[in-house]
Amino acid sequence: MEQFLSYFLPGLMSGCVYTVIALGFIVVYRTTSVLNFAQGEFFLLGAYGVYFAIAQAGLAAYIGIPLVFIMLGVLGSLIERFTLRPLVGQPILAIILMTLGLSVFFKGVVVLIWSDIILPVPSIFTAGGLKFLGVSLPTQYIWFAGISICISVILYLFFTRFRTGLQMTAVADNTQLAQSCGVSVNRVTAAAWIIACIITGAGGYMLCTITGVYPLMGELGLRSLSVVLAGGMESIAGAMIMGPVIGAIEFVLSGYLDPYVGGGLRDVVAFAVLIVFLVFRPQGLFGWKIIERV
Amino acid sequence: MSIQPCGIFNRNYGQCMAVMRTTPQWITFIAFLILMGVLPLFLDSYILSVINRIAIYIVVAHGLNILTGYTGQISVAQSAFMAVGAFTTGILSTKLGINLWLCMPFAGIVAGLVGILFGIPSFRVKGLYLALISIGAQFIIMYTLLHWKSLTGGVHGISIETLKFGSIEFGGDKSFFYIAVGTACLATYLVKNIVRTRSGRAFIAVRDNDIVAEFMGVNLYLYKVLSFFVGCFFAGIGGWLWACYIGSASIDQYSLIDSVWFLAMVVIGGMGSVLGTIFGVFFVEILREVTNIFGPVIGDAIPYLGMTVATALPLLTLGMIIVVFLIFEPRGLAHRWEIIKNLYRLWPYSR
């Protein structure tokens, strides 16, 4: 039981980071029906940006980190304006390939500036441990859980209470109707991209304070796609619940099975979950749209 | 619809369907074959290695073109299926001692069967969701190949002996040229004809409107599975070629980015066009060669950037090219080629 808990609890908490990254996917998908595969690179840019601001440029954390996230938001809105808006009305493959191309491009940018070595990201979270139910938990994980719950709750309120959030839901539901009711679709879309990029960058920063950052981390960002799918492509509550669940599944499975399969199971469990969900329940647990079924 | 020169009349269905219609077309075709026969005698091995790689990638991209371009099933896992072909070759030839030539169909068939396995969800979902499944497939296949050490050798891979025919060894770039280009020509011939058959028309119908296709008697499941099989079969053959070419099956060359390269080739060339795929492969591969050459040069010129330019430049250019093509030429090089051809044929009456 103790062994199980020692896998289960850290998994549950580190899964909260998946929730944060998944929320980045969800905000864009809800509003524009674009699943942004370049999200993995925003995840990288968040971590690298903080590394640059604090370790290289020498800014204080409370100036550097907000500055990085503002820059990420600006970048997100530029990308939306100049690469994805021209593709409105194009087939889905064009949009998928566009975001994949952007992800390759930003990976190139990251490699160009910071090379492909592992860099330690300066952490603002207090190090240390905590005993809970006989399991020692790093304090960072508790921070992650807290921050991700905060972000989820804020986003949930934003989408249900605030004007812009409601407009995003309207645009997602029926773009033409929203536009004819006076919602500026362009502005709302840009807002969605800004929010998504900032959230994803924050998630990337959190995860990379533990592992350090290197260009391949971007592909690990794609793992949270399974959280998006399992929770439902549009559901914030779904991501909140499924993030920790999938994190726990990853840790528990890899904890018990890694000795038998030669390690590294954590990297693929999420993708297996993704495929299982797509086959048996494509709309996820809490999705509100009826998925195009064949 | 291509425009034929004056004096070409369709007297029967055979003539109407024929690929080669005019004497100049036949002359160019035969000249091309002769040129391919004698080319290795003149070129140095660097250019031959580039051509070999292009030829191998043409085979793989043809498969993806059938799957994504003609049938409309998006796949971002083509390089993983190529890896399946390569490792099948390695396992069969070293563990079971099967002749390398006999491994070729097996490599294709095993890759095709794995493709069907990951294509089965296409019965239930399509579009974006299928793309997600293929990304999952990419990671799961590569994980399996990396961690099933007793079978695949893990990170070290499997080394494969040189391809032999009688006493002729196809080892170097010069002799392998004939294998690679020959297979590429054969694959082009096959694809060109597959899309003209009943199955090919069914693929196109599934892509354009699956409900109508089903209504008109196209068995949706059968043709989707068939399309996955054919697409991944070509990837497997490409994997066989690549494994024989570099003499080993290893997991380095088959990452997600390589799959994105293949998808980019098909889209840049023009979806659903055999000629376009060839254009796309040439364009992307030559671009990659150019960046490989210029990367170190720029790195020398601007020491501040250092040697990372060499790794970053291909990624930057590929990403940039995808973005530019999708915005400015979404129908690909094949479409541009048609415009140029018509311009030339109708001159001086073209615009």
Side-chain angles (χ1 to χ4, degrees):
Chain A
M1 188 61 198
E2 191 141 311
Q3 197 188 7
F4 176 78
L5 276 180
S6 76
Y7 297 135
F8 182 74
L9 288 177
L12 211 59
M13 301 215 148
S14 79
C16 291
V17 179
Y18 287 161
T19 302
V20 176
I21 302 165
L23 287 174
F25 282 105
I26 289 170
V27 171
V28 168
Y29 187 81
R30 245 178 103 107
T31 320
T32 59
S33 313
V34 172
L35 192 64
N36 180 14
F37 288 105
Q39 210 77 270
E41 269 57 39
F42 283 107
F43 167 93
L44 274 186
L45 284 175
Y48 273 114
V50 174
Y51 172 79
F52 177 78
I54 295 179
Q56 287 183 317
L59 294 174
Y62 60 89
I63 303 174
I65 292 176
L67 206 63
V68 166
F69 292 149
I70 291 170
M71 295 301 282
L72 271 183
V74 172
L75 185 67
S77 69
L78 287 179
I79 285 175
E80 190 277 325
R81 176 66 190 83
F82 291 107
T83 64
L84 281 143
R85 204 175 292 171
L87 291 190
V88 170
Q90 294 273 350
I92 186 82
L93 173 64
I95 292 165
I96 291 175
L97 189 61
M98 176 61 94
T99 55
L100 283 172
L102 285 173
S103 94
V104 173
F105 180 78
F106 282 112
K107 188 167 284 170
V109 170
V110 164
V111 172
L112 183 69
I113 301 176
W114 288 286
S115 182
D116 48 3
I117 48 172
I118 300 183
L119 297 172
V121 177
S123 172
I124 53 166
F125 309 112
T126 41
L130 191 79
K131 277 270 184 196
F132 182 68
L133 291 177
V135 180
S136 66
L137 291 171
T139 328
Q140 286 118 320
Y141 280 174
I142 297 162
W143 276 101
F144 293 171
I147 291 174
S148 91
I149 290 171
C150 282
I151 292 180
S152 315
V153 170
I154 291 172
L155 265 190
Y156 185 77
L157 291 177
F158 176 75
F159 272 113
T160 48
R161 295 280 181 280
F162 281 73
R163 192 176 177 81
T164 316
L166 285 170
Q167 284 178 341
M168 281 181 193
T169 314
V171 169
D173 197 35
N174 191 333
T175 314
Q176 286 179 344
L177 193 58
Q179 195 154 23
S180 61
C181 290
V183 176
S184 165
V185 174
N186 288 344
R187 207 172 54 91
V188 164
T189 313
W193 273 80
I194 292 171
I195 293 172
C197 289
I198 292 174
I199 292 174
T200 315
Y205 169 62
M206 285 199 286
L207 199 60
C208 291
T209 51
I210 293 186
T211 57
V213 62
Y214 51 97
L216 271 182
M217 284 296 281
E219 284 181 15
L220 304 189
L222 287 182
R223 284 206 302 232
S224 56
L225 276 176
S226 67
V227 176
V228 181
L229 250 294
M233 298 282 274
E234 301 88 3
S235 166
I236 291 168
M240 260 171 99
I241 296 166
M242 289 314 287
V245 168
I246 285 177
I249 292 176
E250 272 188 354
F251 269 65
V252 169
L253 274 186
S254 70
Y256 281 111
L257 295 180
D258 261 354
Y260 305 106
V261 296
L265 200 61
R266 265 193 77 186
D267 296 345
V268 290
V269 168
F271 292 107
V273 172
L274 184 144
I275 291 184
V276 168
F277 261 96
L278 277 173
V279 173
F280 294 107
R281 197 173 162 82
Q283 73 272 39
L285 291 178
F286 306 97
W288 41 255
K289 230 177 238 173
I290 294 163
I291 287 207
E292 213 176 1
R293 299 281 283 264
V294 183
Chain B
M1 208 59 207
S2 67
I3 302 169
Q4 297 287 353
C6 292
I8 303 289
F9 302 114
N10 298 327
R11 292 192 188 79
N12 54 44
Y13 284 118
Q15 278 183 343
C16 184
M17 292 299 292
V19 177
M20 305 278 190
R21 289 302 307 277
T22 58
T23 327
Q25 276 174 346
W26 276 108
I27 292 170
T28 342
F29 176 63
I30 290 166
F32 168 77
L33 288 185
I34 293 172
L35 181 71
M36 284 298 128
V38 296
L39 210 52
L41 305 178
F42 304 113
L43 296 176
D44 64 348
S45 73
Y46 168 68
I47 297 180
L48 283 178
S49 75
V50 175
I51 297 180
N52 282 345
R53 214 171 56 227
I54 289 178
I56 294 169
Y57 282 173
I58 282 177
V59 176
V60 182
H62 272 326
L64 189 61
N65 188 30
I66 287 194
L67 184 56
T68 303
Y70 282 102
T71 322
Q73 312 293 310
I74 302 166
S75 163
V76 200
Q78 194 71 351
S79 70
F81 295 123
M82 197 175 159
V84 172
F87 275 93
T88 310
T89 312
I91 292 162
L92 288 183
S93 67
T94 56
K95 297 254 158 52
L96 301 179
I98 294 174
N99 188 323
L100 264 184
W101 292 98
L102 275 178
C103 290
M104 183 183 185
F106 283 114
I109 288 169
V110 172
L113 292 178
V114 176
I116 288 180
L117 184 68
F118 287 103
I120 285 173
S122 71
F123 296 165
R124 300 200 54 175
V125 292
K126 63 183 181 184
L128 178 64
Y129 303 91
L130 200 60
L132 286 176
I133 286 180
S134 70
I135 285 183
Q138 167 82 37
F139 282 101
I140 290 173
I141 290 174
M142 292 323 288
Y143 174 84
T144 314
L145 290 179
L146 179 61
H147 287 277
W148 199 343
K149 290 198 178 70
S150 56
L151 200 60
T152 64
V155 258
H156 307 296
I158 308 167
S159 62
I160 293 167
E161 60 196 80
T162 318
L163 197 61
K164 283 198 198 84
F165 186 74
S167 61
I168 312 165
E169 283 203 353
F170 294 99
D173 282 317
K174 200 160 276 206
S175 49
F176 199 79
F177 178 89
Y178 293 105
I179 306 285
V181 172
T183 317
C185 290
L186 197 65
T188 310
Y189 171 81
L190 280 176
V191 171
K192 184 85 188 159
N193 284 303
I194 283 174
V195 297
R196 279 148 36 92
T197 58
R198 180 188 156 83
S199 318
R201 290 190 296 274
F203 289 161
I204 295 170
V206 171
R207 173 192 69 189
D208 287 344
N209 194 331
D210 48 356
I211 296 170
V212 175
E214 195 167 27
F215 206 67
M216 290 171 69
V218 172
N219 187 337
L220 222 50
Y221 296 165
L222 178 72
Y223 282 104
K224 276 184 179 173
V225 164
L226 192 65
S227 164
F228 269 98
F229 182 78
V230 174
C232 298
F233 182 84
F234 278 100
I237 300 288
W240 175 83
L241 276 173
W242 189 253
C244 292
Y245 177 50
I246 63 169
S248 73
S250 65
I251 55 158
D252 309 337
Q253 293 98 2
Y254 312 106
S255 63
L256 179 68
I257 287 200
D258 293 276
S259 293
V260 178
W261 285 99
F262 283 121
L263 201 57
M265 286 167 187
V266 170
V267 171
I268 285 174
M271 303 246 299
S273 156
V274 178
L275 189 65
T277 306
I278 297 173
F279 281 154
V281 176
F282 264 90
F283 186 83
V284 171
E285 277 305 301
I286 287 173
L287 199 74
R288 172 145 62 174
E289 270 320 304
V290 170
T291 54
N292 280 345
I293 294 168
F294 277 99
V297 176
I298 296 175
D300 283 337
I302 312 168
Y304 169 71
L305 292 173
M307 273 304 123
T308 53
V309 182
T311 15
L313 201 61
L315 299 175
L316 287 172
T317 33
L318 174 73
M320 201 50 136
I321 284 299
I322 292 176
V323 171
V324 167
F325 261 85
L326 283 175
I327 293 175
F328 296 108
E329 187 63 282
R331 278 180 289 187
L333 289 169
H335 177 68
R336 188 56 46 187
W337 171 246
E338 281 300 314
I339 292 174
I340 291 169
K341 218 162 60 174
N342 287 344
L343 216 66
Y344 156 76
R345 282 202 175 135
L346 299 176
W347 195 84
Y349 297 109
S350 52
R351 275 189 289 155

